[in-house]
Amino acid sequence: MTRDLVLHDWVVAGIALASGCVAGLVLRTLMRWLGKHASRTKWSGDDIIVDALRTIVPWAAVIAGAAVAASALPLTARVGGLVDQSLTAVLIVIATLSAARVVAGLVQSVAASRTGVAASATIFVNITRIVVLSMGVLVALETLGVSIAPLVTALGVGGLAVALALQDTLANLFAGVHILASKTVQPGDYIRLTSGEEGYVVDINWRNSVVRNLSNNLVIIPNGRLARTNMTNYSQPEQKLSILVQVGVGYDSDLEYVEKVTLDVVDSVMADISGGVPDHEAAVRFHTFADSRINFTVILGVGEFSDQYRIKHEFIKRLHQRYRTEGISIPAPTRTVSLQQDGTGAPSSLAPMPHQRHAPGREQSADVSGLAPTAR
């Protein structure tokens, strides 16, 4: 301090500090107004940037007012230097936090836009946030006069020890990075593992992959296991897929007419039901002469995996009603039994005869006294 403090010094310092606080409040109000306008745009990046500036800009104004107030006071060179360094370090920390929020938010926004879902892979978000915060802390320490070279060396040696102690965690971390980098699984995909777990991938974080099954429960799978196991990804290379429905009609049916009626039902379901694919080329493929009917497969298209249940439900209802209207039978499996006698009059054999058929709904019964089978 080169001279004594006077009232004028306190007044000037108070005015400077008060001006900084008022400017901070005004800028905060301005940032809030910009945030409302940014929320109306389609790009989510401007929301993230304005949200980060809402924190750093008011604090920057307050710190600037404090710096002006400190310069107005008759401080010694050592004290003034410490004040400047402290205020600069605080500003760097605040800027680092804001930058971490911006970068992490942009990474999450890009991941969400590529996967088409609200959730994204937080493993990249967390890695980005840690890198930015680490750099900001090192810069702040360097500003305060703390040498970071020994600190970096100590962190390197300590990091080796931590890596040896956390081998499983690091294995899951790098497995998650590999999964996302190879694009074999992305948030929003529907997957099924050979062990039976299946569902939508909600998130891939630094240790686990979170899968939400159709019953709305979460299945937690370690990234290392997900990278090693065999799986089916029903969302790659595209979400649209084909499903198969097995149907059978009686031997007395006109197969050409059956195919035409079935395709008409398929077209109506594809056009009317949510999740159907109207431009999908439906198909009917006859494939088996069964015991009591001719079996065939109907191929339908769905928008994504979970749509198949709604499409199958509506297709079977409409097809059953249409077959009843057109008089096309769907026979139940039946079998005729032949009962033979030996010399004593007792039944000696009970042999199925699959080549014989009888009308649906009529069962064959055998008279245990040795009489011929009678229909009831």
Side-chain angles (χ1 to χ4, degrees), residues 45-373:
D46 54 358
D47 299 331
I48 300 171
I49 295 174
V50 172
D51 183 61
L53 293 177
R54 187 182 300 176
T55 301
I56 186 174
V57 171
W59 278 107
V62 175
I63 292 174
V68 173
S71 64
L73 297 175
L75 304 176
T76 62
R78 182 173 179 275
V79 175
L82 289 176
V83 171
D84 291 340
Q85 288 179 352
S86 300
L87 293 176
T88 303
V90 172
L91 183 61
I92 290 174
V93 170
I94 295 174
T96 300
L97 293 174
S98 300
R101 292 172 60 185
V102 171
V103 176
L106 290 176
V107 170
Q108 188 172 11
S109 177
V110 171
S113 64
R114 289 188 176 183
T115 58
V117 294
S120 67
T122 57
I123 183 173
F124 286 152
V125 177
N126 292 332
I127 291 176
T128 304
R129 185 181 289 112
I130 291 173
V131 170
V132 174
L133 290 176
S134 300
M135 294 177 60
V137 170
L138 293 178
V139 173
L141 292 175
E142 186 72 21
T143 302
L144 292 174
V146 178
S147 178
I148 63 174
L151 180 61
V152 172
T153 303
L155 289 176
V157 177
L160 180 60
V162 171
L164 293 175
L166 301 177
Q167 295 184 27
D168 184 63
T169 300
L170 292 177
N172 287 319
L173 172 63
F174 289 112
V177 174
H178 170 71
I179 290 171
L180 291 173
S182 62
K183 295 184 178 180
T184 55
V185 177
Q186 296 290 325
D189 291 352
Y190 192 96
I191 63 173
R192 176 182 292 165
L193 278 60
T194 54
S195 55
E197 296 89 349
E198 64 177 280
Y200 291 97
V201 179
V202 177
D203 186 23
I204 301 177
N205 55 43
W206 61 277
R207 182 175 177 83
N208 302 313
S209 296
V210 182
V211 176
R212 177 176 55 83
N213 56 29
L214 295 179
S215 59
N216 209 30
N217 296 321
L218 296 181
V219 181
I220 310 301
I221 306 172
N223 292 333
R225 180 188 169 195
L226 187 65
R228 292 191 302 268
T229 188
N230 296 331
M231 75 176 75
T232 303
N233 191 334
Y234 291 95
S235 301
Q236 299 292 341
E238 61 178 0
Q239 285 192 325
K240 295 180 180 179
L241 51 90
S242 299
I243 59 174
L244 308 179
V245 179
Q246 304 299 327
V247 190
V249 295
Y251 276 90
D252 55 349
S253 301
D254 183 350
L255 298 188
E256 290 290 341
Y257 188 64
V258 169
E259 182 177 4
K260 177 181 179 302
V261 170
T262 304
L263 291 177
D264 289 343
V265 175
V266 172
D267 292 339
S268 67
V269 171
M270 292 293 101
D272 300 341
I273 307 303
S274 174
V277 183
D279 57 349
H280 183 272
E281 184 178 354
V284 173
R285 296 293 181 262
F286 297 94
H287 56 77
T288 305
F289 288 102
D291 289 344
S292 57
R293 57 185 181 176
I294 299 176
N295 293 330
F296 61 92
T297 301
V298 182
I299 305 174
L300 303 93
V302 295
E304 58 101 11
F305 184 85
S306 63
D307 292 333
Q308 63 176 304
Y309 304 102
R310 180 170 56 254
I311 296 297
K312 285 183 178 180
H313 168 78
E314 192 64 31
F315 171 71
I316 291 175
K317 287 201 311 180
R318 294 192 181 190
L319 187 66
H320 181 259
Q321 180 62 37
R322 183 69 182 274
Y323 278 4
R324 292 182 62 181
T325 303
E326 301 293 339
I328 300 174
S329 64
I330 308 177
T334 59
R335 177 168 293 183
T336 301
V337 177
S338 176
L339 190 63
Q340 299 178 353
Q341 296 180 349
D342 57 12
T344 62
S348 61
S349 64
L350 192 64
M353 300 177 64
H355 63 280
Q356 296 183 7
R357 297 185 301 109
H358 55 81
R362 297 175 60 84
E363 301 178 357
Q364 290 288 343
S365 63
D367 188 348
V368 296
S369 64
L371 298 179

